């Protein structure tokens, strides 16, 4: 009787494992089928990509990690990466991409990083770091027995008196570089030339602004979204000497709405 019970349990376990594996396979197949259907209906070259598009480059993770590493070097400071990410959420640099169709499958393009967007993002990043720095300074002063007022404006006045500049100016001058430089982003994203679309691949031939001759990417087009999914084909060190193709995918561009749309 016991042997029969053990055998029954083993069979039940085997059946459970088989059913789990089968379920995983079905889910994987379903996801793959959905993706293929999506690419077939939305990423086909039959849809024009012509228009003015805007992408938001999220700088939160980069800036927060940089700030966190810098603050960790300050003795007896309790700060977490999650705290810095919370303080710096919503750090965005905008990129504009204009695609002007001149024939059935291609046309001209121009891509630029908006300097005013970069400046606003940079200012916001250092503003968040300055707020954390003032709180840390207040904590250190309290630990040292400082008894005067430690309201934010008082700490700011103390920093200005000590360093001869505001907290933000001090951090911009002597602190870490929270964002990639504007020049680096311009090198990575900016340029102009011609483009072609074929079988879900957007190929841009750079006449200006790019170190390589061409860049090919898989794309998907929905009503108001142009999604660059990943790079098409392989990139060799010779064709990408400074690693400019190693940007994060997917990159989502949103169609700019004009009056009357």
């Amino acid at each position: 009787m016991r042997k029969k019970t053990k055998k029954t349990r083993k069979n039940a376990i085997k059946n459970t494992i088989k059913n789990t594996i089968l379920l995983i396979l079905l889910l994987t197949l379903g996801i793959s089928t959905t993706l293929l259907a999506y690419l077939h209906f939305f990423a086909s070259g039959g849809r024009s990509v012509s228009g003015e598009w805007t992408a938001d480059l999220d700088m939160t993770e980069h800036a927060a990690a940089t700030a966190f590493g810098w603050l960790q070097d300050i003795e007896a400071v309790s700060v977490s990466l999650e705290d810095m990410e919370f303080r710096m959420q919503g750090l965005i640099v905008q990129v504009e991409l204009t695609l002007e169709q001149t024939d059935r499958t291609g046309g001209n393009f121009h891509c630029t990083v908006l300097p005013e967007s970069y400046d606003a993002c940079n200012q916001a990043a250092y503003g968040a770091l300055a707020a954390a720095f003032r709180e840390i300074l207040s904590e250190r002063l309290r630990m040292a027995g400082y008894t005067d007022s430690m309201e934010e404006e008082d700490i700011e006045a103390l920093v200005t008196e000590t360093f001869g500049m505001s907290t933000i100016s001090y951090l911009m001058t002597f602190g870490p570089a929270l964002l990639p430089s504007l020049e680096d982003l311009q090198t990575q994203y900016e340029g102009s030339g011609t483009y072609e679309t074929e079988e879900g691949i957007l190929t841009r031939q750079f006449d200006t602004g790019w170190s390589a001759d061409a860049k090919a990417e898989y794309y998907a087009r929905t009503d108001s979204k142009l999604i660059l999914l990943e790079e098409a084909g392989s990139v060799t060190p010779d064709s990408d000497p400074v690693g400019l193709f190693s940007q994060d995918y997917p990159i989502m561009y949103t169609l700019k709405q004009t009056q009357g749309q």
Side-chain angles (χ1 to χ4, degrees), residues 118-195:
Y118 179 89
D119 291 340
C121 182
N122 196 50
Q123 189 72 21
Y126 279 101
L129 177 57
F133 183 78
R134 282 191 294 265
E135 289 182 13
I136 291 170
L137 180 58
S138 176
E139 181 181 340
R140 291 295 302 275
L141 289 172
R142 188 178 294 108
M143 292 169 59
Y146 188 80
T147 57
D148 288 350
S149 173
M150 284 185 278
E151 297 294 330
E152 182 177 330
E153 57 270 20
D154 298 313
I155 297 297
E156 182 63 32
L158 184 61
V159 170
T160 302
E161 180 182 348
T162 303
F163 299 113
M165 63 184 75
S166 68
T167 305
I168 290 181
S169 296
Y170 171 78
L171 292 172
M172 285 183 168
T173 305
F174 299 104
L178 296 179
L179 303 184
S181 70
L182 177 59
E183 291 74 18
D184 285 344
L185 291 177
Q186 288 172 331
T187 300
Q188 186 170 0
Y189 289 96
E190 288 194 353
S192 59
T194 58
Y195 75 89

Side-chain angles (χ1 to χ4, degrees), residues 250-261:
I251 303 172
M252 182 181 295
Y253 285 87
T254 300
L255 184 64
K256 292 179 65 175
Q257 299 296 321
T258 59
Q259 291 184 350
Q261 284 188 309

Side-chain angles (χ1 to χ4, degrees), residues 4 20 22 25 44 66 123 132 146 159 166-167 172 176 190-191 213 221 240 243:
K4 187 175 182 182
T20 301
L22 180 60
L25 291 174
S44 64
T66 303
Q123 189 72 21
Y146 188 80
V159 170
S166 68
T167 305
M172 285 183 168
E190 288 194 353
D213 293 331
R221 165 75 198 271
D240 184 25

Side-chain angles (χ1 to χ4, degrees), residues 90-143:
L91 295 180
I92 297 297
V93 175
Q94 289 189 319
V95 178
E96 285 192 347
L97 173 63
T98 301
L99 298 166
E100 181 184 1
Q101 187 170 356
T102 57
D103 56 38
R104 190 178 64 85
T105 61
N108 302 314
F109 80 89
H110 178 75
C111 191
T112 183
V113 178
L114 299 183
E116 62 273 20
S117 171
Y118 179 89
D119 291 340
C121 182
N122 196 50
Q123 189 72 21
Y126 279 101
L129 177 57
F133 183 78
R134 282 191 294 265
E135 289 182 13
I136 291 170
L137 180 58
S138 176
E139 181 181 340
R140 291 295 302 275
L141 289 172
R142 188 178 294 108
M143 292 169 59

